[in-house]
């Protein structure tokens, strides 16, 4: 059976059985058709709790960027990517950012992989990439009432400035600053309430 025919079958499959669709793709389609022709399967795999992130990247024949030697991270000649491949990577970033089966840390690692893959090929990421990164790197912390990591925020800020412009990045910076102020004020208020004797901080 021709790979194109198998790909059509995979696309029509009930993607509730994602593991089977993945296995069929890997056996009959990988290396024979472009993975972007099965974009719906790729997104479904991201939302499947029995398919690892590493397996998803293997299906696309894309190495894990963080594991590459330095000379491969910054090739002298950058292979151009098709528009359909670029769109697929952006869809993947969005899917990882809202996936309910990936932990925030794993999701952010994979969105970062999307970013690095595009950057390594000289592609300017689109705004949806920065939105995915902001959701995982900033919004989730705020939703979960956590402090936004300074080091991570610096990176997120640079991503937003590059994808959406300095004005948008500055607006986000102000919002995070206000959030941190709020957390500090809340912490001080709780300390004052608990410190009924007014003894000050213990050393």
């Amino acid at each position: 059976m021709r790979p194109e025919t198998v790909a059509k079958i995979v696309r029509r499959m009930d993607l509730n059985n994602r593991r089977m669709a993945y296995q069929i793709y890997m056996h009959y389609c990988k290396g024979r058709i472009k993975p972007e022709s099965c974009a719906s399967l790729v997104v479904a795999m991201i939302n499947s709790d029995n398919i690892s992130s590493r397996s998803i990247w293997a299906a696309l024949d894309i190495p894990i960027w963080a594991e590459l030697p330095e000379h491969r991270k910054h090739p002298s000649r950058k292979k151009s990517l098709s528009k359909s491949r670029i769109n697929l990577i952006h869809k993947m970033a969005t899917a990882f950012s809202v996936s309910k089966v990936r932990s925030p840390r794993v999701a952010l690692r994979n969105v970062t992989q999307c970013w690095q893959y595009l950057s390594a090929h000289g592609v300017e990421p689109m705004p949806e990439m920065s939105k995915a990164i902001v959701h995982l790197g900033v919004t989730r912390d705020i939703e979960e009432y956590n402090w936004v990591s300074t080091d991570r925020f610096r990176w997120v800020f640079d991503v937003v400035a590059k994808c959406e412009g300095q004005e948008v990045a500055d607006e986000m910076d102000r919002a995070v600053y206000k959030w941190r102020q709020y957390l500090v004020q809340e912490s001080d208020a709780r300390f004052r309430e608990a410190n009924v004797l007014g003894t000050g901080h213990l050393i």
Side-chain angles (χ1 to χ4, degrees):
M1 188 179 294
R2 296 177 61 193
E4 293 82 1
T5 304
V6 177
K8 288 181 181 178
I9 294 172
V10 168
R11 287 195 294 269
R12 292 172 184 169
M13 285 182 67
D14 178 3
L15 290 182
N16 286 324
N17 196 345
R18 296 160 188 167
R19 185 71 191 179
M20 180 179 291
Y22 168 77
Q23 290 172 341
I24 291 173
Y25 174 87
M26 292 297 285
H27 188 74
Y28 293 102
C29 302
K30 184 188 175 187
R32 298 181 179 90
I33 65 168
K34 295 179 179 179
E36 42 268 43
S37 66
C38 290
S40 59
L41 172 61
V42 176
V43 172
M45 288 192 293
I46 291 171
N47 292 308
S48 177
D49 58 3
N50 62 357
I51 300 176
S52 69
S53 302
R54 186 176 292 274
S55 296
I56 295 168
W57 291 108
L60 274 66
D61 208 19
I62 295 176
I64 305 301
W65 190 88
E67 298 175 359
L68 290 175
E70 285 301 317
H71 72 277
R72 290 191 59 194
K73 289 182 179 179
H74 308 287
S76 55
R77 291 185 178 181
K78 296 182 178 181
K79 182 180 177 181
S80 61
L81 300 178
S82 66
K83 185 176 181 180
S84 57
R85 172 59 65 96
I86 294 170
N87 288 338
L88 173 61
I89 299 301
H90 281 90
K91 286 181 181 178
M92 290 177 66
T94 299
F96 273 118
S97 73
V98 298
S99 174
K100 298 186 184 303
V101 301
R102 313 280 169 184
S103 70
R105 179 172 294 183
V106 169
L108 182 57
R109 192 180 303 135
N110 281 278
V111 173
T112 302
Q113 161 90 354
C114 293
W115 167 271
Q116 291 164 334
Y117 175 73
L118 293 179
S119 298
H121 288 81
V123 175
E124 290 288 336
M126 293 185 283
E128 51 258 51
M129 179 68 71
S130 67
K131 285 178 170 56
I133 290 173
V134 169
H135 178 72
L136 291 168
V138 176
T139 306
R140 271 196 171 179
D141 277 343
I142 294 174
E143 289 176 345
E144 295 172 5
Y145 221 79
N146 293 327
W147 183 267
V148 178
S149 164
T150 299
D151 289 340
R152 187 172 67 236
F153 181 71
R154 287 196 188 105
W155 176 66
V156 174
F157 179 89
D158 290 341
V159 168
V160 173
K162 186 173 184 178
C163 292
E164 302 188 61
Q166 191 65 41
E167 186 176 342
V168 176
D170 289 340
E171 184 178 352
M172 179 184 66
D173 186 36
R174 289 190 291 271
V176 170
Y177 176 76
K178 288 180 180 178
W179 171 249
R180 286 170 168 168
Q181 279 189 317
Y182 171 76
L183 288 182
V184 170
Q185 290 167 359
E186 283 285 292
S187 177
D188 288 346
R190 286 195 299 271
F191 176 78
R192 286 194 298 271
E193 289 174 4
N195 186 25
V196 293
L197 297 178
T199 57
H201 290 280
L202 294 177
I203 297 176

